């Protein structure tokens, strides 16, 4: 059974930082590209970042590029997202997933971790 458990969220002021973690189990993590998604209040879930299985290639949605950094530790079966220079519009529940399509069909969907940016 695929299991993804997100953690590390919290409440920060604009300009602050957080580091999110995602513990993965139930599949061969080191052979799977992974993504971070987020869902803001009243909005649809959106893909924000992806990393290939080896951690050598990453991609970001323009809104977070240069501020967020995705990484992984295959030895620990853990995915990370470093969030810097946070903005109020980054407020959302953040999820990790194999991909957006996997998340939409409920494959390993976790509870997410809440990030709130407020002054």
């Amino acid at each position: 059974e695929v299991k993804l458990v997100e953690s590390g969220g919290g409440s920060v002021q604009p300009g602050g930082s957080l580091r999110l973690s995602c513990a993965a189990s139930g599949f061969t993590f080191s052979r799977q590209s992974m993504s971070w998604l987020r869902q803001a209040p009243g909005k649809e879930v959106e893909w924000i970042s992806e990393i290939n299985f080896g951690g050598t290639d990453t991609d970001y949605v323009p809104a977070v590029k240069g501020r967020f950094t995705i990484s992984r530790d295959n030895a620990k079966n853990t995915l990370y997202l470093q969030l810097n220079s946070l903005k109020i519009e980054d407020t959302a529940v953040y999820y990790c997933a194999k991909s957006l399509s996997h998340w939409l069909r409920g494959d390993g969907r976790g509870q997410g971790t809440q990030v709130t940016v407020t002054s």
Side-chain angles (χ1 to χ4, degrees), residues 68-86:
F68 293 5
T69 303
I70 190 171
S71 62
R72 64 192 298 160
D73 186 335
N74 286 342
K76 295 182 178 180
N77 283 1
T78 302
L79 179 72
Y80 302 100
L81 187 68
Q82 178 69 40
L83 288 64
N84 295 331
S85 302
L86 281 161

Side-chain angles (χ1 to χ4, degrees), residues 24-34 51-56 72-79 98:
S25 61
F27 64 102
T28 306
F29 181 77
S30 60
R31 297 183 182 179
Q32 177 68 50
S33 60
M34 295 293 295
I51 188 168
N52 70 340
F53 64 90
T56 57
R72 64 192 298 160
D73 186 335
N74 286 342
K76 295 182 178 180
N77 283 1
T78 302
L79 179 72
K98 291 180 178 180

Side-chain angles (χ1 to χ4, degrees), residues 2 4-5 7 9 17 21-22 30 34 40 53 58-59 68 115-116:
V2 174
L4 299 167
V5 180
S7 63
S17 298
S21 298
C22 169
S30 60
M34 295 293 295
F53 64 90
T58 60
D59 198 11
F68 293 5
V115 172
T116 302

Side-chain angles (χ1 to χ4, degrees), residues 20 22 38 48 53 59 61 64 78 88 94-95 114-115 119:
L20 308 184
C22 169
R38 69 183 180 185
I48 58 170
F53 64 90
D59 198 11
V61 68
V64 308
T78 302
I88 291 176
Y94 285 70
Y95 301 93
Q114 176 72 49
V115 172
S119 56

